[in-house]
Amino acid sequence: MKKVIIGIHGLANKPPKESLEKWWKQSILEGLAKNCGLNNPKFDFKMVYWADLLYKYPLHDDQNFNFDKLYNTEPYIEAKPGALKKYKDSWKDAIRAKALDLAGLTLDKFKNDHPYVGVFADWALDKLLRDLAFYYDNGRKIKSRSGELELARKVLQDELKKALLENKDNDIMLIAHSMGTIISYDVLRDLGQSTEKIGISHFITIGSPLGLPHVKGKIIQERKYDPSVRTPSIVTNKWINFSDKKDPVAVDIHLRDDYAQNDNGIQVIDDVILNDYQKPSDNKNNHHKSYGYLRAPELSESIYGFIAES
């Protein structure tokens, strides 16, 4: 049985699939080498890519047109020496987790409580609201790969379902980023109700908005067969949720209090990391960037454990 890591991105525009797939894998390999001393690991990597279904043109990296709105200002670049560090837990984290759970976090409250994240947070949170509206809009249709005009949610979900079912005989780690975590959660829950025999060994969410009350409400509303907010039944080994506390999209970094265990006894594990990614143009941090998550020491150790499992 092969080890397969399947990556799934969010709803923002992206570079072409070949570039994004290469950069995700480079980030993973960089983390394994620097954090775990593992070079040339054996696993297959596949990217579930749908930016071409949502945008007419992809982002590009042609510096002759760096003034173009489609110029990619955040490509993969190798981490600076010493930048990959583990997060040190604080006694304040447990208090903060309890407070957020009791408060029922809203985006406005997050903005008021975290003014230090600045302009990027405002942009990211506004973008998140638009993405959520797009995804849950029952009137929003896009063209599928076959050219049929279908509900946008279904088209995106079908892309992931296809990739998972094509690898159902392999050992799968699914890594989902940003809005991709909501789509992957929906797909895994629905596959658990299908007749397909498939298991996901490791479910990894990074920079996830799954803690938003609005999202949990939609999960409950849409699943008449089982409205519980829990780990998808087809997750057989682990669900780990990695978040950076300064990531404005991962508004609630503690999912364990919100998502119950499945029948296999698997409950989400929350792990705080330090996302090191900095834009090469101005060295400003982007604590939501996928490349920084993928090479964080804690995530590298999880991937290492997955690869090493017999």
Side-chain angles (χ1 to χ4, degrees):
M1 182 180 294
K2 291 192 300 183
K3 300 284 185 178
V4 177
I5 298 177
I6 296 177
I8 171 175
H9 65 78
L11 298 187
N13 199 3
K14 296 289 182 286
K17 180 181 179 181
E18 297 75 18
S19 297
L20 188 65
E21 189 170 54
K22 178 181 71 174
W23 287 343
W24 268 54
K25 187 169 184 179
Q26 281 182 322
S27 302
I28 292 170
L29 293 175
E30 179 187 359
L32 288 173
K34 292 181 176 178
N35 300 318
C36 305
L38 180 62
N39 296 292
N40 301 315
K42 296 186 181 301
F43 66 89
D44 287 349
F45 180 76
K46 301 180 184 298
M47 189 89 228
V48 176
Y49 183 87
W50 46 50
D52 59 331
L53 298 174
L54 300 173
Y55 300 91
K56 187 172 182 178
Y57 302 108
L59 301 181
H60 68 82
D61 55 6
D62 187 341
Q63 293 191 4
N64 291 321
F65 295 91
N66 60 10
F67 51 85
D68 181 3
K69 289 183 178 180
L70 292 176
Y71 179 69
N72 182 19
T73 60
E74 296 183 330
Y76 164 78
I77 54 170
E78 189 172 343
K80 294 180 180 179
L84 302 183
K85 299 177 182 178
K86 280 193 172 184
Y87 176 79
K88 294 182 179 179
D89 292 330
S90 166
W91 60 269
K92 295 179 181 178
D93 292 339
I95 296 175
R96 183 181 294 109
K98 190 64 177 177
L100 292 178
D101 187 51
L102 292 173
L105 193 66
T106 65
L107 295 183
D108 287 339
K109 176 174 171 51
F110 179 84
K111 288 183 180 181
N112 291 334
D113 291 350
H114 299 77
Y116 62 86
V117 291
V119 175
F120 173 74
D122 287 337
W123 175 86
L125 290 171
D126 290 341
K127 180 68 168 61
L128 174 58
L129 284 172
R130 293 195 298 272
D131 287 348
L132 286 169
F134 179 93
Y135 182 66
Y136 288 119
D137 183 356
N138 288 325
R140 176 71 66 177
K141 294 186 177 182
I142 62 174
K143 284 190 175 181
S144 66
R145 298 267 175 227
S146 63
E148 297 294 323
L149 198 61
E150 298 183 65
L151 184 65
R153 290 183 63 194
K154 181 182 183 302
V155 173
L156 300 177
Q157 290 174 6
D158 285 350
E159 291 290 301
L160 177 56
K161 284 179 184 177
K162 180 175 182 291
L164 293 175
L165 293 175
E166 286 176 347
N167 288 277
K168 65 181 181 180
D169 295 326
N170 296 319
D171 193 5
I172 299 173
M173 170 182 273
L174 175 62
I175 303 179
H177 179 239
S178 194
M179 280 291 298
T181 66
I182 297 176
I183 300 168
S184 59
Y185 180 88
D186 285 344
V187 168
L188 296 187
R189 285 293 300 269
D190 292 345
L191 279 176
Q193 295 297 311
S194 73
T195 58
E196 297 286 353
K197 300 296 183 183
I198 181 173
I200 305 300
S201 176
H202 291 63
F203 181 32
I204 305 295
T205 48
I206 56 178
S208 174
L210 277 168
L212 284 172
H214 175 68
V215 175
K216 291 180 288 184
K218 285 292 186 181
I219 292 170
I220 293 170
Q221 175 187 338
E222 294 176 351
R223 283 169 180 76
K224 306 301 182 185
Y225 60 81
D226 179 5
S228 62
V229 183
R230 59 168 174 80
T231 301
S233 60
I234 66 172
V235 177
T236 61
N237 193 324
K238 291 179 181 178
W239 174 11
I240 306 179
N241 178 58
F242 292 98
S243 303
D244 185 304
K245 290 197 301 182
K246 293 184 179 180
D247 180 349
V249 174
V251 181
D252 184 353
I253 64 176
H254 302 281
L255 301 185
R256 189 174 180 84
D257 294 335
D258 302 315
Y259 289 79
Q261 66 183 21
N262 63 14
D263 291 339
N264 299 319
I266 308 300
Q267 188 169 14
V268 58
I269 299 169
D270 296 307
D271 203 346
V272 180
I273 63 101
L274 297 174
N275 189 325
D276 76 288
Y277 185 84
Q278 293 182 333
K279 292 173 62 175
S281 59
D282 55 16
N283 291 323
K284 288 185 178 179
N285 291 97
N286 181 349
H287 298 283
H288 182 61
K289 197 66 183 177
S290 57
Y291 312 134
Y293 273 110
L294 293 167
R295 64 190 178 204
E298 293 87 348
L299 182 48
S300 296
E301 290 173 359
S302 291
I303 296 174
Y304 181 88
F306 166 71
I307 296 172
E309 288 174 356
S310 58

